[in-house]
Amino acid sequence: MSNDYAPMWESLGMDLKAHDALLDVLGQGYQDIYLAQKNRPEGMSYFDFVMSEVHGLRIKELLDEKKQNRKIIGSYCVFVPEEIVLAGGATLVGLCSGADFAIEDVEKHLPRNTCSLIKSSFGFKLGRVCPYLESADMIVGENTCDGKKKAYETFAGMVDNLYVMDLPQVKSSQGRSLLKKEFERFKTAVEELTGNKITVDTLKEGIKVVNAKRAALHRLATLRKADPVPISGLDALLANQVFFYDNPARFTESVNKICDELEVRIKENQGVFPAKTPRILISGCPMAVPNWKLPWIIETSGAVIVGEESCVGERGTRNLTDDSGQSLDELMEAVTDRYFKVDCAIFTPNQKRSDHIVEMAKAYGANGVIHYGLQFCQPYIMESIPVENTLENLGIPCMRIETDYGMEDMGQLKTRVEAFIEQISD
């Protein structure tokens, strides 16, 4: 990092020694995984900078916003509507949940057979190593899976600013009605937090800003359909991860700048991997920073990742919000419609998710799909077999992987991935 941020972190009540250890591991991992790649787009230097300052300059920016009486809202899920947060004059940031930390302490509060993502969110709080969490004026949890629902009951005793949003489990008129009521309740909570009344104009502006972010990622995703692929799956994943942390306008500009560069690469038939490299679509659980294990294995085993059917990927960003409404209620209906289309595995039945995976595999020319499930994540693990059956029946090879944030299974996973890539290369 370019500055000494220790006083800032200390002011947030963070454990500086533990945080330094986390940053050392994160920095080394980033160097080994990302900076070791060859022929990266020049525009990725911005994202390298973001990652080098992810707990530094970005946190300073957020604290500067707080000094100007702008509230910071932290979230663990794509169902939390950024449009409403921005309309209320606040800033939305993703919260740390992509690495193991303070596991012994975590397992005093959660069962061992809890998924890594939930354990991680507890670990970063108990270890006092997530400045986003410590900067937040409101922490938004959401009733997605059963694990999160019950975990938030415990988490509420660790923080004094937790807001829990209820979510439907069925795509029905009643389910949509619940989501609309919850978004209205959240809108009121944001207004109470910020002291700002959300209006037609502010919500339209919030929708415009978030749509621009998503549109930039749509453009990036479309360019990945080329052969040879102009950007690695790792770098595209990083852009999707930074989506949750960065200043929205700056993020949008930076992604579009990369896309300009990639369009030139495609015209010149340049790629990060040779043409005809086996193409993989990853599907399943979200991959939060710094969960890069499986993508790194795939792209160092002779294949390239061309898409992510994930909340940190196309599932989370593929739909825009209609901004044509002329009343606040019409715009809130549009926000509800947009998020109700997210085909998270919490929904039952959920055939549209399988349909979307098939659609993506065909659109991106994937030779195979790797379904990624975190151990003990019941919704995605339960859906993995039906997804595999759907794909195999259509002649699309699929491999199911269950893993966690640990490194102990790296060798086994690499062996399995290499065998799968060999299979789809024939």
Side-chain angles (χ1 to χ4, degrees):
M1 293 189 182
S2 57
N3 291 299
D4 178 12
Y5 296 108
M8 177 182 73
W9 295 327
E10 190 171 23
S11 73
L12 293 172
M14 295 176 62
D15 183 327
L16 297 188
K17 183 177 180 180
H19 185 245
D20 285 347
L22 172 69
L23 290 185
D24 285 345
V25 173
L26 178 61
Q28 188 62 54
Y30 194 83
Q31 181 174 333
D32 293 344
I33 293 172
Y34 275 90
L35 302 185
Q37 297 180 98
K38 297 179 180 179
N39 196 26
R40 298 174 75 208
E42 291 182 9
M44 286 306 300
S45 61
Y46 170 74
F47 291 90
D48 293 338
F49 175 74
V50 168
M51 289 306 300
S52 73
E53 293 282 347
V54 70
H55 280 195
L57 181 58
R58 183 56 182 147
I59 300 302
K60 183 180 182 301
E61 290 178 340
L62 296 177
L63 295 180
D64 287 345
E65 290 183 17
K66 286 166 69 75
K67 290 176 182 177
Q68 300 300 316
N69 204 32
R70 186 177 179 92
K71 301 299 183 181
I72 308 301
I73 297 177
S75 166
Y76 290 107
C77 181
V78 297
F79 271 105
V80 179
E82 187 174 10
E83 297 91 334
I84 293 175
V85 173
L86 294 177
T91 297
L92 186 70
V93 293
L95 297 177
C96 307
S97 59
D100 289 333
F101 207 87
I103 291 298
E104 288 187 11
D105 290 335
V106 170
E107 290 180 353
K108 295 175 183 177
H109 300 273
L110 297 173
R112 291 189 66 188
N113 59 344
T114 302
C115 90
S116 291
L117 189 146
I118 297 174
K119 280 187 173 182
S120 178
S121 62
F122 272 62
F124 276 93
K125 176 57 186 175
L126 291 168
R128 294 185 289 125
V129 291
C130 178
Y132 293 93
L133 184 65
E134 305 304 335
S135 302
D137 297 291
M138 175 193 285
I139 298 166
V140 184
E142 78 304 322
N143 288 340
T144 45
C145 67
D146 289 344
K148 279 193 169 186
K149 290 175 190 174
K150 305 308 291 185
Y152 286 132
E153 294 177 12
T154 302
F155 200 63
M158 300 177 182
V159 298
D160 58 7
N161 54 353
L162 179 66
Y163 176 98
V164 178
M165 180 184 294
D166 200 11
L167 292 177
Q169 308 285 292
V170 179
K171 293 286 183 77
S172 63
S173 58
Q174 295 93 333
R176 187 193 177 283
S177 177
L178 169 61
L179 189 62
K180 172 72 183 306
K181 289 177 182 177
E182 284 298 296
F183 283 176
E184 292 284 0
R185 185 171 71 92
F186 181 60
K187 170 179 161 290
T188 300
V190 171
E191 290 175 329
E192 291 175 351
L193 177 71
T194 63
N196 300 322
K197 194 73 175 176
I198 293 175
T199 66
V200 170
D201 288 342
T202 61
L203 187 50
K204 274 183 173 286
E205 179 61 23
I207 291 171
K208 177 183 176 182
V209 170
V210 182
N211 276 350
K213 285 173 63 177
R214 294 179 184 135
L217 286 178
H218 295 177
R219 184 182 172 200
L220 176 62
T222 297
L223 295 172
R224 297 170 73 189
K225 297 177 182 179
D227 186 24
V229 182
I231 186 170
S232 70
L234 277 164
D235 279 339
L237 173 62
L238 185 65
N240 278 281
Q241 291 173 332
V242 171
F243 176 95
F244 295 95
Y245 298 94
D246 201 10
N247 172 276
R250 188 171 61 207
F251 173 84
T252 301
E253 180 183 1
S254 299
V255 173
N256 279 320
K257 182 178 178 181
I258 287 178
C259 290
D260 292 342
E261 182 182 352
L262 298 187
E263 287 176 350
V264 173
R265 283 189 167 206
I266 290 171
K267 288 179 181 178
E268 296 177 353
N269 204 36
Q270 295 181 8
V272 290
F273 295 90
K276 307 303 180 184
T277 294
R279 303 164 68 90
I280 297 289
L281 173 70
I282 289 185
S283 172
C285 291
M287 294 180 177
V289 173
N291 181 10
W292 305 310
K293 179 173 74 172
L294 182 59
W296 180 78
I297 289 173
I298 292 170
E299 295 202 322
T300 57
S301 298
V304 58
I305 299 166
V306 293
E308 299 80 24
E309 186 275 326
S310 167
C311 296
V312 185
E314 192 159 319
R315 186 193 312 129
T317 60
R318 66 177 172 143
N319 297 306
L320 301 184
T321 302
D322 182 6
D323 64 352
S324 64
Q326 298 303 308
S327 70
L328 198 56
D329 186 65
E330 287 175 341
L331 292 173
M332 287 297 291
E333 291 284 355
V335 172
T336 303
D337 283 341
R338 188 267 162 198
Y339 284 87
F340 200 53
K341 293 175 184 176
V342 176
D343 45 20
C344 175
I346 62 167
F347 287 104
T348 181
N350 199 26
Q351 182 59 40
K352 286 189 176 180
R353 177 170 170 250
S354 291
D355 295 342
H356 181 218
I357 295 169
V358 171
E359 175 188 318
M360 285 187 68
K362 293 179 178 179
Y364 294 100
N367 301 108
V369 175
I370 293 181
H371 191 283
Y372 163 74
L374 282 171
Q375 287 178 352
F376 311 119
C377 176
Q378 295 304 320
Y380 283 98
I381 291 173
M382 291 294 287
E383 282 197 355
S384 65
I385 296 176
V387 165
E388 180 183 46
N389 290 338
T390 296
L391 292 167
E392 296 285 358
N393 288 339
L394 292 171
I396 302 172
C398 177
M399 179 174 67
R400 293 181 287 119
I401 282 180
E402 290 180 33
T403 186
D404 56 19
Y405 289 167
M407 298 294 116
E408 294 83 0
D409 61 351
M410 286 277 289
Q412 180 188 35
L413 288 179
K414 189 166 181 63
T415 298
R416 290 188 61 201
V417 167
E418 287 173 346
F420 182 69
I421 292 171
E422 183 177 354
Q423 172 194 336
I424 63 176
S425 301
D426 293 340

